[in-house]
């Protein structure tokens, strides 16, 4: 069974982000001036860093990277207070995402993704011993978008169920969900205890345009649904009913990259300290507001 005060294990993607902040539409066929930075990212890695930043004593991360950036990512994760277990892929490079952030459009971002090694995690990278001392397992939804990592998800879910460890999952990408297929996704997440979709993802998964209706419908399939609504906060749903509407925390966005990851990390950190889901969602909203005021998807490194 889960151990009170145990660790959080995150399994997911570790990515190199190239963040380009520009103003106004991109100029097709010519140059667009931008401020460009290379930063550590990846939904799974970001969630782990925000969870550690938000007060979890022990956060672990299983991910896969290329030899080209393995040492850098390990240093960056460790600096955030995360205990990384990075598998170095012998063939593929570290995944890379180009984040195009329009500073004139509420800092909304467009992602251009090369998954690289990140989605080559497979069952051979899993060990039941990874769950030793773990109170909760979190899976990045990006793992569902390749055959090897889908197989890993199945093994990890089975292992967690055998130990009584609750599992959360963030769907990660509405665009990739369309390619995977809604029915297939819902089958793959059977057995997950907490689902943390964005507004768009919840709508896509249910076909319902109203965010509250979508969250409620998803909670008929998953025991607890926490639907992130961006600047409108979050909805908490159980057993087919929205039981809480959590307001957003005001923020002036600079870059929305990783805001949902920040929400998830802080939510899980609070949940593991015994907070009710509604209170944990409020912590998530606080973290999301802090994240959008920073460039990149990670919290500040303390100390």
């Amino acid at each position: 069974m889960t151990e009170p005060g145990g660790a959080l294990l995150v399994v997911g993607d570790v990515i190199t982000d190239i963040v380009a902040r520009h103003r106004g539409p991109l100029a097709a066929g010519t140059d667009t001036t931008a401020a460009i930075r290379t930063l550590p990212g990846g939904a799974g890695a970001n969630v782990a860093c925000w969870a550690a930043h938000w007060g979890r004593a022990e956060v672990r991360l299983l991910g896969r990277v290329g030899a080209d950036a393995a040492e850098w990512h390990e240093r960056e994760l460790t600096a955030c207070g995360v205990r990384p277990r990075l598998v170095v892929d012998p063939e593929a490079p570290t995944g890379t995402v180009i984040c195009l952030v329009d500073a004139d459009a509420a800092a909304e971002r467009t992602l251009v993704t090369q998954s690289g090694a990140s989605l080559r995690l497979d069952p051979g990278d899993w060990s039941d011993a990874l769950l030793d001392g773990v109170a909760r397992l979190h899976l990045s939804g990006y793992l569902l978008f390749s055959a090897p990592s889908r197989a890993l998800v199945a093994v990890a879910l089975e292992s967690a169920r055998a130990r009584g460890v609750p599992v959360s999952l963030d769907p990660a990408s509405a665009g990739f969900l369309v390619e995977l297929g809604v029915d297939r996704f819902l089958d793959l997440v059977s057995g997950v205890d907490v689902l943390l979709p964005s507004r768009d993802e919840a709508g896509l998964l249910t076909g319902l345009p109203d965010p509250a209706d979508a969250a409620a419908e998803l909670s008929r399939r998953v025991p607890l649904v926490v639907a992130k609504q961006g600047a409108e906060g979050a909805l908490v749903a159980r057993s087919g009913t929205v039981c809480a509407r959590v307001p957003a925390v005001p923020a002036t966005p600079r870059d929305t990259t990783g805001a949902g990851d920040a929400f998830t990390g802080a939510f899980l950190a609070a949940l593991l300290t015994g907070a009710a889901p509604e209170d944990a969602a409020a912590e998530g909203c606080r973290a999301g507001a802090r994240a959008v005021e920073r460039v990149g998807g990670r919290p500040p490194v303390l100390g």
Side-chain angles (χ1 to χ4, degrees):
M1 297 295 291
T2 54
E3 298 180 14
L8 170 67
L9 172 62
V10 178
V11 182
D13 44 320
V14 180
I15 295 287
T16 299
D17 283 345
I18 300 172
V19 181
R21 298 181 71 246
H22 59 95
R23 290 192 176 277
L26 295 172
T30 185
D31 297 303
T32 299
T33 299
I36 300 174
R37 296 176 65 186
T38 299
L39 299 166
N46 292 345
V47 166
C49 289
W50 279 100
H53 182 76
W54 223 252
R56 270 314 293 161
E58 184 178 352
V59 180
R60 308 172 190 172
L61 173 71
L62 173 64
R64 195 174 182 101
V65 294
D68 56 313
E71 292 183 2
W72 178 60
H73 277 293
E74 182 139 1
R75 285 197 306 270
E76 293 291 332
L77 288 162
T78 301
C80 280
V82 175
R83 290 178 54 187
R85 176 169 174 172
L86 300 183
V87 180
V88 179
D89 195 293
E91 300 173 7
T94 303
T96 301
V97 172
I98 299 173
C99 309
L100 302 173
V101 181
D102 187 347
D104 286 343
E108 282 300 328
R109 82 278 191 274
T110 299
L111 307 181
V112 183
T113 302
Q114 174 187 289
S115 298
S118 67
L119 298 191
R120 286 164 58 94
L121 272 172
D122 62 37
D125 298 324
W126 178 261
S127 164
D128 288 347
L130 289 167
L131 291 176
D132 290 349
V134 166
R136 180 171 291 277
L137 169 65
H138 178 73
L139 302 170
S140 169
Y142 278 108
L143 296 172
L144 298 178
F145 304 133
S146 80
S149 52
R150 275 195 297 273
L152 170 71
V153 166
V155 170
L157 273 170
E158 182 180 2
S159 181
R161 278 197 293 265
R163 293 202 183 197
V165 175
V167 182
S168 55
L169 185 141
D170 187 326
S173 168
F176 285 159
L177 274 177
V178 171
E179 295 180 27
L180 180 68
V182 168
D183 291 341
R184 192 176 185 195
F185 174 87
L186 292 172
D187 286 343
L188 289 166
V189 301
S190 176
V192 166
D193 300 276
V194 183
L195 191 67
L196 294 129
S198 68
R199 178 203 298 258
D200 289 346
E201 291 155 3
L204 177 63
L205 289 169
T206 60
L208 298 173
D210 180 79
D213 290 345
E217 179 62 26
L218 280 174
S219 72
R220 299 179 192 276
R221 291 177 171 268
V222 179
L224 177 63
V225 171
V226 182
K228 296 172 280 189
Q229 306 294 307
E232 296 180 22
L235 301 169
V236 180
R238 292 191 191 89
S239 305
T241 302
V242 171
C243 52
R245 296 173 182 264
V246 181
V249 173
T252 302
R254 293 184 66 210
D255 176 11
T256 57
T257 303
D261 303 332
F263 179 104
T264 296
F267 172 83
L268 293 173
L271 210 61
L272 277 167
T273 62
E278 297 80 359
D279 295 328
E283 292 300 305
C285 288
R286 285 180 55 214
R290 190 174 300 177
V292 300
E293 294 184 331
R294 295 177 51 78
V295 175
R298 299 276 178 90
V301 175
L302 299 179

